[in-house]
């Protein structure tokens, strides 16, 4: 992109914000060098990178970049024979460690981020090199004693010499304190010295290395420590030689790993750069735009990225589909230029992989060029007027535009005669449209308001102005040209009405008609927007209500099926137990009364009759058996019917007409159409339940049940069957004997009767009834 365009649209301010969001020097460098891309696939990849980082930030997962330094210059010096300083070596070790931490963090994330995870593959661990450096250099960048045995020995001798020197100087301080300005040991020129009074220097003797600013104190090295200081200096030289040898060795190791080190730095810089883009998107409350290659722009509630969030006004902008040019009119300081810059800057940001400050669902195109003629380019040095300056820029633009170009014209044709300027502006727009470019232009010329109506690919727009407050609202109105509002503003400011009326009389009929048309369009647009908002709210409420109804109906259906299933399971258990008891009784009779002469086929026939007595369950027959359709007049009061609309059984109470009946379903009385009723058999289907309860007439039901000695599951199953028998027998008060024991059976019985729907009350037995070993139950 043209550098001038980037400057005019203030893209450099975006890159500075991006650099501030970067955590490493490499990331900051990449941010400052950011430039828009022209290849669709590259732009889409950049947007995908940013979106992966945005996902992690939304989950509060920020990648650690601590310790990472731009070591590229150090790597290069190591490869050309230079020797790195201890701090440079330490920076390399810290960068290796930071890279390993970053790689481990990203690889462990259970989030779909293929691009970021692929980038970490380029980060080498380099553990051995890091350990070599950390073994020789501490966290403050100082070479450690254990870097080599020779260095350790040299430093040991240095400490010994220093101790001997201090000892001798301390003795001097004690014996000749009067000759000293201060009783301290200090260092001058890397040698230990004492502060001696100038007039008494002869009593100390030695070498003078320095004096105070007043000249009253001399810093002298006594003769007694001269030789020791010489030995110490020689040791310092040896120490430095050994340190240089250690650093040269470390530099050689670093040079051997220069390629993976360089790849580490670049990968870490790229990851930091991606996260900087995500952090900027988070700050701007931005969204990822969909990228196309067809010159189509659609932005929802887009905001200028450089205007504070509490001041900026969001607008919808769409171009490139139904029309390829927008002509914006309206008052000065109304926001026309801001709209131009917002579209241009958001386009540049999107082509650079940055998300844009707008709502989700935005779409932007990749352009080969973005041209802008914005602002006053007048140059006194070049002797150019405002108009000439603009035209020089426009001539350059017109020579380069094509169908892959976005052109932004601010005050097109301004700075010259209005009629000629308007004509020139229309001609320029025609030419740009013919070349296939997308154009957004602002103007004051009234002629261009009609231009938008006379061109198929052009639409008018305006920035709204509130006549009541005399302030612009900065809202962009697509499809409505702007009005001057001069008369309204003058009236509000108190200009005499007669002057205003006279001024109106000077306006031609055509101008009046245009102004009236614009006013009508504004009213229509406002009304349409209000109607749309109201309809949208109604749609949201209806969708919410529909979802609630569907959810409630599904829940009701599930609960009904569950109740049916539970009832059938209970009935089947009861039938199974009854059959087993009946077979046991029959077998007992055969065993004990063998003298009864009864043939085998008679026993089989009796058993078959017992099987036939089993009622047919809904789960076995698929659904309630219905009779063949009969004429509508066949239903009589008292007939059992199935109501197909609710899949429930009921009884006919009253015939209202030939097509309607009152039907009793449980406790509910319904009016039902004849077409929704099916008469059913009553021989095997109870009117109130799809499961028939058959009373066991083979023996009488006792008023007490003894569960002692039984296992828990067996006892509860027997209790359940016993209560069913009690209900059939019509008993209202029974006793359940469970004993005291460990208390487990008692707790189980109490829990069961507490949840039984037909038990109204229960209590522990009295002393004469059995105490806590008995539970007395009342049944409704």
């Amino acid at each position: 992109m043209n550098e001038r365009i980037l400057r005019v649209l203030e893209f450099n301010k975006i890159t500075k914000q991006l650099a501030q969001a970067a955590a490493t020097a490499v990331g900051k460098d990449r941010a400052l060098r950011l430039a828009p891309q022209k290849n669709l696939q590259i732009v889409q990849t950049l947007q995908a990178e940013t979106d992966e980082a945005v996902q992690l930030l939304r989950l509060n997962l920020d990648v650690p970049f601590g310790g990472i330094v731009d070591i590229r210059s150090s790597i290069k010096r190591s490869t050309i024979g230079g020797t790195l300083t201890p701090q440079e070596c330490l920076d390399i070790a810290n960068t290796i460690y930071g890279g390993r931490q970053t790689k481990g963090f990203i690889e462990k994330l259970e989030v779909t981020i293929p691009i970021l995870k692929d980038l970490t593959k380029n980060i080498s661990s380099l553990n051995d090199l890091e350990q070599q450096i950390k073994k020789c250099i501490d966290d403050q960048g100082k070479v450690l004693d254990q870097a080599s045995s020779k260095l350790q020995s040299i430093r040991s001798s240095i400490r010994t010499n220093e101790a001997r020197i201090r000892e001798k100087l301390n003795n001097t301080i004690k014996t000749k304190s009067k000759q000293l300005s201060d009783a301290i040991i200090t260092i001058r020129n890397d040698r230990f010295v004492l502060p001696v009074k100038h007039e008494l220097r002869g009593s100390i003797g030695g070498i003078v290395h320095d004096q105070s600013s007043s000249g009253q104190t001399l810093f002298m090295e006594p003769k007694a420590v001269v030789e020791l200081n010489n030995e110490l200096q020689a040791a310092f030289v040896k120490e430095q030689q050994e340190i240089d040898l250690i650093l040269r060795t470390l530099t050689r190791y670093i040079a051997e790993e220069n390629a993976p080190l360089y790849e580490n730095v670049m990968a870490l810089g790229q990851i930091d750069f991606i996260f900087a883009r995500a952090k900027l998107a988070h700050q701007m409350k931005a969204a990822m735009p969909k990228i196309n290659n067809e010159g189509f722009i659609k932005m929802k509630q887009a905001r200028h990225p450089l205007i504070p969030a509490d001041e900026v006004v969001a607008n919808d902008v769409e171009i490139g589909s139904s029309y390829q040019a927008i002509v914006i009119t309206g008052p000065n300081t109304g926001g026309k230029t801001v709209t131009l810059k917002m579209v241009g800057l958001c386009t540049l940001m999107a082509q650079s992989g940055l998300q844009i400050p707008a709502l989700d669902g935005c779409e932007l195109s990749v352009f080969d060029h973005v041209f802008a003629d914005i602002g006053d380019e007048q140059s006194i040095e070049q002797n150019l007027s405002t108009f000439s300056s603009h035209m020089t820029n426009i001539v350059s633009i017109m020579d380069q535009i094509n169908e892959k170009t976005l052109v932004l014209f601010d005050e097109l044709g301004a700075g010259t005669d209005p009629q000629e300027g308007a004509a020139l502006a229309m001609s320029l727009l025609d030419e740009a449209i013919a070349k296939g470019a997308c154009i957004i232009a602002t103007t004051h010329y009234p002629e261009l308001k009609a231009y938008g109506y006379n061109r198929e690919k052009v639409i008018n727009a305006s920035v709204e102005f509130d006549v009541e407050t005399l302030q612009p609202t900065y809202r962009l109105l697509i499809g409505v040209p702007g009005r001057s509002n001069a008369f309204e503003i003058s009236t509000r400011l108190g200009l005499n009405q007669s002057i205003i009326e006279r001024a109106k009389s000077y306006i031609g009929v055509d101008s009046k008609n245009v102004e009236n048309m614009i006013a009508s369009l504004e009213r229509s647009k406002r009304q349409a927007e209000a109607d749309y908002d109201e309809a949208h709210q109604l749609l949201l409420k209806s969708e919410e209500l529909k979802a609630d109804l569907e959810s409630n109906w599904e829940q009701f259906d599930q609960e009904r099926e569950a109740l049916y299933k539970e009832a059938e399971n209970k009935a089947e258990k009861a039938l199974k137990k009854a059959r087993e008891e009946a077979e046991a009784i029959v077998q007992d009779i055969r065993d004990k009364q063998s003298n009864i002469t009864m043939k085998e086929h008679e026993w089989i026939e009796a058993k078959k009759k017992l099987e036939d007595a089993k009622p047919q369950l809904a789960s076995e027959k698929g659904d309630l058996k219905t009779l063949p359709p009969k004429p509508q007049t066949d239903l009589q009061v008292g007939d059992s019917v199935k109501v197909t609309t609710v899949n429930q059984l009921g009884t006919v109470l009253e015939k209202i007409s030939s097509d309607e009946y009152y039907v009793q379903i449980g406790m509910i009385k319904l009016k039902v159409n004849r077409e929704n009723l099916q008469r059913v058999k009553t021989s095997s289907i109870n009117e109130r339940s799809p499961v028939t309860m058959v009373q066991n007439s083979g023996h009488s039901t006792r008023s007490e049940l003894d569960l002692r000695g039984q296992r828990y599951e067996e006892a509860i199953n027997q209790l359940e069957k016993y209560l069913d028998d009690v209900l059939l027998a019509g008993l209202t008060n029974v006793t359940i004997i469970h004993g005291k024991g460990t208390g487990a059976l008692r707790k189980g019985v109490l829990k069961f009767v507490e949840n039984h729907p037909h038990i109204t009350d229960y209590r522990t037995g009295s002393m004469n009834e059995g105490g806590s070993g008995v539970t007395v139950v009342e049944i409704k």
Side-chain angles (χ1 to χ4, degrees):
M1 290 289 175
N2 188 303
E3 284 296 327
R4 177 187 168 280
I5 299 303
L6 299 180
R7 185 182 71 256
V8 168
L9 295 177
E10 300 179 290
F11 185 73
N12 61 316
K13 293 184 179 180
I14 298 296
T15 59
K16 287 180 180 178
Q17 290 184 12
L18 185 62
Q20 291 174 358
T24 69
V26 186
K28 292 180 186 295
D29 180 58
R30 296 205 60 169
L32 292 172
R33 292 187 293 106
L34 178 67
Q37 301 297 314
K38 300 179 182 180
N39 182 279
L40 176 64
Q41 188 173 359
I42 293 175
V43 174
Q44 289 174 335
T45 300
L46 291 173
Q47 288 290 345
E49 290 174 353
T50 307
D51 191 56
E52 286 190 4
V54 167
Q55 289 181 47
L56 296 184
L57 292 183
R58 284 176 184 160
L59 299 172
N60 291 323
L61 298 172
D62 195 1
V63 176
F65 290 106
I68 298 172
V69 181
D70 186 359
I71 57 174
R72 288 176 292 180
S73 60
S74 299
I75 297 171
K76 185 175 182 180
R77 284 209 304 118
S78 72
T79 60
I80 61 176
T83 301
L84 303 183
T85 65
Q87 186 60 49
E88 287 177 313
C89 293
L90 181 62
D91 287 344
I92 290 172
N94 289 338
T95 301
I96 293 172
Y97 175 78
R100 191 163 60 250
Q101 292 294 105
T102 300
K103 180 176 183 177
F105 180 87
I106 292 177
E107 288 181 343
K108 290 178 182 177
L109 292 175
E110 296 181 357
V111 184
T112 305
I113 46 172
I115 297 175
L116 289 172
K117 288 188 175 181
D118 189 59
L119 280 172
T120 61
K121 294 177 182 178
N122 298 325
I123 300 175
S124 304
S125 59
L126 300 175
N127 284 325
D128 292 342
L129 178 57
E130 180 192 355
Q131 293 304 316
Q132 286 282 356
I133 296 173
K134 289 293 182 73
K135 178 183 176 182
C136 298
I137 301 172
D138 66 11
D139 292 339
Q140 284 70 46
K142 181 181 178 182
V143 178
L144 296 167
D145 293 358
Q146 59 265 32
S148 72
S149 58
K150 185 175 180 181
L151 180 62
Q152 191 169 18
S153 174
I154 293 171
R155 285 186 173 171
S156 177
S157 68
I158 288 174
R159 286 189 287 270
T160 301
N161 280 346
E162 287 179 343
R164 291 170 61 191
I165 293 170
R166 287 182 180 278
E167 183 182 359
K168 285 185 177 293
L169 292 177
N170 283 327
N171 289 334
T172 304
I173 290 172
K174 290 178 182 178
T175 58
K176 298 183 177 183
S177 60
K178 293 182 179 180
Q179 285 83 4
L180 302 179
S181 298
D182 201 354
I184 60 170
I185 300 172
T186 185
I187 296 175
R188 290 292 186 275
N189 299 325
D190 295 329
R191 300 177 77 90
F192 288 93
V193 296
L194 293 174
V196 181
K197 294 178 180 178
H198 186 276
E199 64 274 13
L200 300 176
R201 61 180 180 176
S203 62
I204 297 294
I207 303 171
V208 177
H209 288 279
D210 198 3
Q211 68 177 7
S212 65
S213 57
S214 64
Q216 297 299 312
T217 300
L218 301 177
F219 295 96
M220 297 184 64
E221 179 184 3
K223 293 179 181 179
V225 298
V226 169
E227 188 58 33
L228 290 174
N229 263 330
N230 289 339
E231 292 178 5
L232 183 60
Q233 291 303 312
F236 281 148
V237 172
K238 291 180 181 179
E239 178 192 31
Q240 189 58 49
Q241 290 173 345
E242 185 61 21
I243 288 174
D244 290 343
L245 178 61
I246 292 168
L247 292 177
R248 285 197 297 273
T249 303
L250 289 177
T251 302
R252 187 172 69 252
Y253 293 155
I254 292 169
E256 291 172 356
E257 300 288 356
N258 74 89
L261 278 173
Y262 189 81
E263 287 183 4
N264 279 15
V265 174
M266 298 310 294
L268 292 169
Q270 176 67 4
I271 294 172
D272 180 33
F273 178 46
I274 292 171
F275 271 88
R277 301 196 316 248
K279 291 173 184 176
L280 184 63
H282 181 71
Q283 293 171 12
M284 292 182 174
K285 297 181 180 178
M288 183 179 75
K290 182 180 178 182
I291 305 297
N292 67 74
N293 211 20
E294 288 79 39
F296 176 61
I297 294 176
K298 182 179 181 181
M299 293 193 286
K300 299 179 180 179
Q301 294 299 287
R303 308 178 303 277
H304 194 291
L306 299 176
I307 299 178
D310 58 344
E311 299 177 12
V312 69
V313 175
N315 280 301
D316 296 344
V317 178
E318 182 174 342
I319 189 173
S321 177
S322 301
Y323 42 84
Q324 68 182 82
I326 301 176
V327 177
I328 306 175
T329 53
N332 288 328
T333 70
K336 300 191 302 297
T337 303
V338 170
T339 301
L340 281 186
K341 287 188 173 182
M342 183 266 289
V343 175
L345 187 53
C346 286
T347 298
L348 297 179
M349 289 173 62
Q351 291 186 217
S352 303
L354 300 175
Q355 296 189 353
I356 63 170
L359 298 183
D360 288 332
C362 292
E363 189 166 355
L364 288 167
S365 179
V366 174
F367 293 101
D368 288 344
H369 299 285
V370 176
F371 292 116
D373 180 58
I374 298 174
D376 188 359
E377 298 288 338
Q378 183 175 2
S379 172
I380 297 176
E381 292 181 359
Q382 296 178 7
N383 195 27
L384 294 176
S385 66
T386 300
F387 177 75
S388 299
S389 176
H390 278 295
M391 287 312 300
T392 300
N393 188 32
I394 290 172
V395 168
S396 174
I397 291 173
M398 296 302 291
D399 289 339
Q400 301 178 66
I401 62 174
N402 55 33
E403 69 279 358
K404 298 281 289 180
T405 304
L406 173 64
V407 185
L408 308 172
F409 289 129
D410 188 28
E411 298 298 343
L412 183 61
T416 186
D417 177 79
Q419 287 187 335
E420 292 182 358
L424 186 59
M426 288 187 284
S427 180
L428 287 170
L429 289 174
D430 285 340
E431 178 68 14
I433 292 170
K435 291 185 176 182
C438 283
I439 308 114
I440 303 179
T442 69
T443 182
H444 279 300
Y445 294 140
E447 289 85 353
L448 289 178
K449 298 176 184 178
Y451 176 84
Y453 288 102
N454 298 327
R455 302 294 192 281
E456 292 182 359
K457 297 181 180 182
V458 182
I459 190 168
N460 280 315
S462 62
V463 285
E464 191 178 52
F465 188 86
D466 190 339
V467 180
E468 296 298 320
T469 62
L470 303 180
Q471 294 292 328
T473 65
Y474 303 106
R475 291 182 64 240
L476 182 68
L477 305 176
I478 300 291
V480 180
R483 292 192 294 158
S484 64
N485 297 303
F487 295 146
E488 289 83 353
I489 294 173
S490 299
T491 301
R492 294 282 298 173
L493 293 175
L495 185 65
N496 189 291
Q497 191 64 33
S498 62
I499 298 175
I500 294 174
E501 293 300 326
R502 190 182 308 117
K504 288 182 179 179
S505 68
Y506 295 153
I507 296 178
V509 175
D510 292 341
S511 297
K512 290 181 180 179
N513 291 339
V514 170
E515 291 296 319
N516 292 336
M517 178 190 68
I518 293 172
S520 175
L521 285 172
E522 288 180 346
R523 288 193 298 271
S524 299
K525 186 172 182 66
R526 282 195 293 269
Q527 183 61 44
E529 288 177 349
D531 292 344
Y532 173 82
D533 291 339
E534 183 180 356
H536 185 64
Q537 293 300 320
L538 289 174
L539 176 62
L540 292 177
K541 288 181 180 179
S542 63
E543 288 178 347
E544 183 179 352
L545 179 61
K546 179 175 179 289
D548 289 342
L549 288 174
E550 289 177 347
S551 176
N552 291 337
W553 177 257
E554 184 179 357
Q555 183 179 357
F556 165 75
D557 201 39
Q558 291 174 352
E559 290 176 354
R560 183 184 63 183
E561 292 300 323
L563 289 173
Y564 282 168
K565 190 67 176 177
E566 182 181 359
E568 289 180 356
N569 289 340
K570 285 184 178 180
E572 186 148 8
K573 287 180 182 177
L575 289 170
K576 182 179 179 182
K577 193 161 188 180
R579 190 187 305 112
E580 291 173 351
E581 289 179 353
E583 289 181 353
I585 293 170
V586 171
Q587 185 63 39
D588 188 50
I589 293 173
R590 294 180 66 177
D591 293 342
K592 293 182 179 181
Q593 299 183 4
S594 57
N595 57 334
I596 298 176
T597 58
M598 193 171 185
K599 296 182 180 180
E600 185 66 25
H601 73 276
E602 292 175 334
W603 287 107
I604 295 172
E605 184 177 354
K607 187 175 181 181
K608 183 175 183 304
K609 290 180 180 179
L610 184 64
E611 289 287 344
D612 292 340
K614 172 187 174 184
Q616 191 175 15
L617 301 176
S619 60
E620 295 174 347
K621 59 195 175 181
D623 201 350
L624 296 173
K625 184 177 180 181
T626 59
L627 294 175
K630 289 187 178 181
Q632 295 185 5
T633 57
D634 68 339
L635 291 181
Q636 303 297 326
V637 174
D639 283 353
S640 296
V641 293
K642 175 182 176 183
V643 182
T644 59
T645 54
V646 294
N647 197 25
Q648 295 289 324
L649 295 178
T651 304
V652 176
L653 293 180
E654 180 184 347
K655 180 177 180 182
I656 303 172
S657 66
S658 60
D659 295 328
E660 289 185 318
Y661 292 82
Y662 279 124
V663 178
Q664 184 80 32
I665 300 177
M667 299 179 65
I668 302 174
K669 180 179 179 182
L670 297 175
K671 182 193 289 185
V672 187
N673 287 334
R674 175 64 184 85
E675 62 184 12
N676 296 324
L677 295 174
Q678 294 179 345
R679 189 164 65 87
V680 298
K681 291 183 178 180
T682 58
S683 60
S684 62
I685 301 178
N686 186 281
E687 293 179 0
R688 296 186 181 182
S689 172
V691 179
T692 301
M693 303 294 292
V694 180
Q695 183 172 349
N696 184 0
S697 61
H699 61 279
S700 61
T701 302
R702 300 181 61 184
S703 63
E704 67 178 26
L705 173 65
D706 191 352
L707 299 175
R708 291 176 294 181
Q710 298 188 31
R711 291 181 298 137
Y712 177 84
E713 293 81 7
E714 181 182 354
I716 297 302
N717 287 335
Q718 186 172 347
L719 174 60
E720 182 179 10
K721 177 185 178 304
Y722 173 74
L723 291 176
D724 290 341
D725 293 342
V726 167
L727 285 169
L728 292 173
L731 298 180
T732 60
N733 191 287
V734 295
T735 301
I736 301 169
I737 305 171
H738 43 67
K740 299 178 180 178
T742 63
L745 184 56
R746 177 175 177 272
K747 291 180 181 177
V749 170
L750 290 176
K751 183 177 180 181
F752 181 87
V753 300
E754 183 180 0
N755 297 319
H756 198 285
H758 294 287
I759 294 177
T760 58
D761 197 8
Y762 63 89
R763 62 178 175 82
T764 301
S766 60
M767 293 301 296
N768 60 346
E769 290 175 323
S772 60
V774 169
T775 297
V776 179
V777 175
E778 292 184 10
I779 303 172
K780 64 179 179 180

